[in-house]
């Protein structure tokens, strides 16, 4: 191994005279269990850097090795930083030999601390040693987390503190950072931060500076070049960044604004800073929402919603009344910058309320399409608590609108966008361009964030169940006792596995209490799966299927009740007899006994491009002849969906891409068909379906665009396949 020593151009002594002489004393200081520092005196004949081997003390010193010459008042000394080895102890001997024939013998002597090693060194000497150690620690030695070395470096900085300026801590930035004001003249650039635990590089752009919290002790900043280190004294109790910004003291508010600028600058490259900026904005005081709605004003406008889609985009909704054509331009503003919005990019929709409110306005009323919505796929690369919309007028004046705070959980944001516009006012273009893109992004995040369900078992299930019944529960429990009572009276259901999936976890205690009572009453084994959060019908079915053991799965709505005993056997028999069938569905009846479902088919409404789902013979009498015939059908409803477990697994189960519920049942039918299976209708199985009793209680679905979104997604995926399928299948009245 080699080390950099001073080798030279001066006249050489004979090699023997040096090697036989008394060994030169070398100070050795243990910086940490990993590193040692050797102080080698100036050796006669050495005048320039050369690579030389050092052997002895049980072997050669291991790379890396780093040398630096330091000038002292009494002469020059060479510092050698090396990894600690068992042989590097006091009284050990190292032999030095250069390729040019120079040699020397070095005797190691212990030193208690850096001060003893350097004697009465000046602050400049101490700083030179500090820069040497800090630079090498963050370089080839990879010793940034060496606590012993960190303490030594901190001691060197403290020893030279007489001429060092100090910074001042002014605020706490999140859980692990502080805001500091630096002394005048502090240079920007990469600094080394010295703490009791580690050394690390930090980048400074000016004052104030956001630095990692180094705990209750003192710390130092070592600037680049020859500048003096900056002392970071132990911070007192500090306000948060939000408190600083909300305070009344002008200097504190100015520091708060400067800190926001620093957070914004660093958010693009530092994930912790980006998260801090987002979280800090949640707690900033919301600016009062500005809207210009006075009838006497020549324009009126409002930015009602500005909701990030958590994937770099933003959804906007508002309204604009401009009867005189005064608005010349629109610009979206955030703390991170601004972007112009072409007026043609706004998707307009009716606002009858505004037409009524401004009917008598002196400058003119509101257009019938006064509402607007817009999705900017890349409009929000960084999180912002509130957004502004600036209206530039033809007069040179400006009007600024401020939206309410829009940062929200992905599920909340998704539901807010789906409820932003009345379904009756939504066009295909508005849905495709403004609503569907952010909803798709947010829904994917919601589904990706599903947690692990809780599973509660009541009794011992059948050893080999003939079917696994999976019943999602959401809010409406009115039919639970009737359904389970009907199951208990049917001998065939004693051989099934009953799995209830609760998709409204706030009802956990109520549902568990009810099911335990019915379990004791009917002696039916039950499984209750409690979802950690409401994620919709598809996710609930997957959670139930994960606990199922039978070869056949039956997805059953909680508002479906058997019309008589023996309803399950005909469906199981159909699957046994016809291997081509991947899934079958029963006859479903309305409460008055009329037909609700005798198979599902697809149709296009007049003037509509998208395919809708409908049911054969809906509203016909219960025993309508055509509905009494078992046959192949395009699809079946998810209210009672009997599917082979192997077919379910082969296509990945039911899709969770649909919001809450709707169209995922026909999507599953089409995927089973694409995999080579067929779908059958079994009229001998009859059940009552009290239609849409659960979903109507869902705030994220009722009066929202969820069904419209699902239909659009379904159409984009399957339109060609549906057209070909319906060209082959009979429609109502033709078969």
């Amino acid at each position: 191994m080699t080390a950099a020593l001073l080798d030279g151009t001066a006249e050489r002594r004979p090699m023997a005279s040096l090697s036989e002489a008394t060994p030169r004393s070398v100070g050795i200081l243990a910086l940490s269990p990993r590193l040692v520092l050797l102080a080698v005196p100036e050796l006669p004949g050495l005048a320039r850097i050369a690579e030389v081997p050092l052997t002895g003390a049980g072997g050669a010193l291991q790379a890396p090795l780093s040398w630096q010459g330091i000038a002292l008042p009494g002469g020059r000394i060479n510092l050698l930083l090396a990894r600690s080895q068992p042989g590097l102890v006091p009284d050990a001997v190292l032999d030095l030999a250069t390729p040019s024939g120079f040699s020397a013998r070095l005797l190691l002597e212990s030193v208690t601390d850096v001060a003893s090693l350097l004697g009465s060194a000046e602050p400049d000497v101490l700083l030179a040693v500090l820069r040497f150690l800090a630079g090498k620690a963050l370089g080839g030695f990879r010793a940034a987390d060496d606590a012993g070395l960190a303490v030594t470096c901190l001691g060197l900085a403290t020893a030279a503190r007489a001429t060092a300026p100090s910074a001042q801590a002014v605020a706490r930035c999140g859980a692990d950072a502080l805001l500091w004001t630096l002394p005048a003249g502090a240079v920007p650039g990469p600094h080394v931060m010295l703490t009791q635990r580690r050394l690390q590089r930090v980048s400074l752009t000016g004052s104030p500076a956001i630095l990692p919290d180094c705990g209750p002790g003192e710390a130092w900043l070592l600037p680049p070049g020859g500048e003096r280190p900056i002392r970071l004294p132990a911070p007192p109790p500090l306000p948060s960044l939000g408190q600083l910004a909300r305070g009344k003291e002008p200097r504190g508010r100015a520091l708060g604004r400067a800190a926001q600028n620093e957070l914004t600058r660093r958010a693009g490259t530092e994930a912790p800073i980006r998260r801090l900026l987002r979280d800090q904005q949640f707690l900033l005081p919301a600016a009062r929402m500005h809207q210009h709605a006075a009838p006497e004003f020549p324009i009126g406008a409002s930015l009602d919603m500005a909701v990030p889609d958590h994937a770099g985009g933003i959804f906007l909704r508002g309204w604009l009344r401009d009867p005189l054509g005064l608005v010349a331009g629109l610009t979206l503003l955030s703390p991170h910058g601004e972007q112009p919005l072409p007026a043609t990019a706004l998707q307009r929709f009716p606002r009858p309320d505004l037409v009524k409110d401004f009917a008598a306005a002196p400058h003119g009323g509101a257009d019938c399409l006064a509402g607007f919505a817009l999705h900017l796929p890349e409009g929000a690369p960084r999180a912002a608590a509130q957004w502004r919309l600036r209206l530039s007028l033809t007069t040179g004046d400006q009007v600024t609108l401020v939206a309410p705070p829009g940062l929200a959980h992905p599920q909340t944001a998704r539901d807010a966008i789906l409820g932003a516009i009345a379904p009756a006012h939504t066009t295909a273009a508005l849905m495709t361009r403004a609503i569907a893109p952010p909803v798709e992004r947010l829904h994917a995040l919601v589904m990706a964030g599903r947690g692990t369900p809780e599973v509660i078992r009541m009794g011992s299930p059948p050893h080999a169940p003939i079917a696994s019944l999976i019943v999602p529960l959401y809010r409406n429990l009115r039919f639970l006792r009737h359904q389970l009572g009907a199951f208990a009276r049917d001998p065939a259901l004693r051989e099934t596995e009953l799995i209830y999936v609760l998709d409204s976890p706030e009802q956990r205690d109520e549902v568990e209490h009810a099911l335990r009572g019915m379990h004791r009453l009917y002696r039916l084994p039950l499984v209750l799966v409690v979802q950690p959060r409401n994620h919709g019908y598809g996710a609930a079915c997957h959670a139930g299927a994960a606990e199922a053991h039978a070869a056949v799965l039956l997805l059953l709505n909680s508002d479906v009740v058997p019309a008589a005993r023996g309803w399950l056997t005909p469906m199981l028999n159909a699957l046994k007899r016809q291997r081509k069938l991947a899934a079958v569905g029963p006859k479903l009846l309305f409460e008055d006994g009329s037909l609700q479902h005798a198979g599902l088919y697809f149709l296009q409404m007049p003037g509509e491009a998208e395919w809708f789902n409908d049911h054969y013979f809906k509203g016909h009498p219960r025993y309508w002849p055509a509905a009494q015939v078992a046959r192949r059908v395009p699809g079946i409803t998810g209210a009672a969906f009997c599917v082979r477990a192997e077919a379910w697994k082969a296509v990945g189960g039911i899709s969770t891409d649909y919001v809450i519920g709707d169209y995922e049942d026909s999507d599953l039918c089409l995927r089973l068909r694409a995999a080579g299976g067929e779908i059958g209708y079994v009229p001998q199985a009859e059940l009552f379906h009290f239609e849409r009793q659960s979903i109507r209680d869902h705030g994220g679905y009722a009066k929202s665009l969820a069904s419209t979104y699902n239909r659009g997604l379904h159409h984009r995926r399957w339109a060609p396949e549906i057209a070909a399928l319906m060209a082959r299948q009979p429609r109502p009245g033709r078969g």
Side-chain angles (χ1 to χ4, degrees), residues 458-460 488 494 516-526:
M458 306 172 195
S460 299
R494 294 283 171 177
R516 287 195 182 279
M518 287 184 278
H519 165 65
R520 288 191 293 268
L521 176 63
Y522 298 126
R523 301 298 179 187
L524 276 176
L526 301 171

Side-chain angles (χ1 to χ4, degrees), residues 378-511:
E378 300 176 357
R382 302 178 188 174
Q386 287 182 283
W387 294 74
R388 291 168 170 78
L389 183 62
R390 184 175 66 212
L391 280 58
S392 299
L393 307 185
T394 55
T395 60
D397 297 302
Q398 294 180 341
V399 173
T400 300
L401 311 172
V402 183
L407 287 172
H409 184 278
Q411 187 164 336
T412 303
R414 180 201 68 186
D415 294 347
I417 294 173
L418 286 171
I421 302 170
H425 297 156
T426 304
T427 64
L430 194 152
M431 194 73 202
T432 302
R433 299 174 188 172
I435 303 293
V439 168
E440 182 177 4
R441 291 180 174 187
L442 291 163
H443 185 66
L445 289 175
V446 172
M447 292 297 104
R450 301 198 304 271
T452 302
E454 177 187 5
V455 180
I456 303 167
R457 304 185 188 279
M458 306 172 195
S460 299
H463 175 67
I466 59 173
S468 295
L469 275 62
I470 300 168
V471 184
L473 298 173
Y474 180 80
R475 297 284 175 85
N476 185 359
L477 306 177
R478 291 190 290 273
F479 301 97
L480 179 59
R481 293 183 182 276
H482 301 286
Q483 184 186 71
L484 197 51
F487 291 167
R489 291 191 295 272
D490 192 330
L493 270 294
R494 294 283 171 177
E495 302 178 61
T496 64
E497 191 175 37
L498 298 180
I499 303 170
Y500 284 90
V501 183
L502 182 61
D503 207 28
S504 46
E506 67 276 8
Q507 295 177 293
R508 179 198 181 284
D509 292 345
E510 176 188 0
V511 171

Side-chain angles (χ1 to χ4, degrees), residues 233-268:
L238 297 171
S240 69
L241 200 58
Q243 291 170 328
L244 194 70
R246 290 191 293 266
K248 297 182 179 180
E249 200 271 316
R251 179 175 178 271
R253 293 174 66 89
L255 286 171
R257 290 192 296 272
Q260 288 297 310
N261 293 336
E262 177 70 0
L263 287 171
T264 301
R265 185 191 68 80
R266 293 168 57 180

Side-chain angles (χ1 to χ4, degrees), residues 61 145 251 281 298 300 312 320 346 465 504 521-522 535 567 677 684:
L61 292 187
D145 293 309
R251 179 175 178 271
Q281 288 181 93
L320 177 63
L346 303 182
S504 46
L521 176 63
Y522 298 126
H535 288 110
W567 58 275
Q684 293 79 17

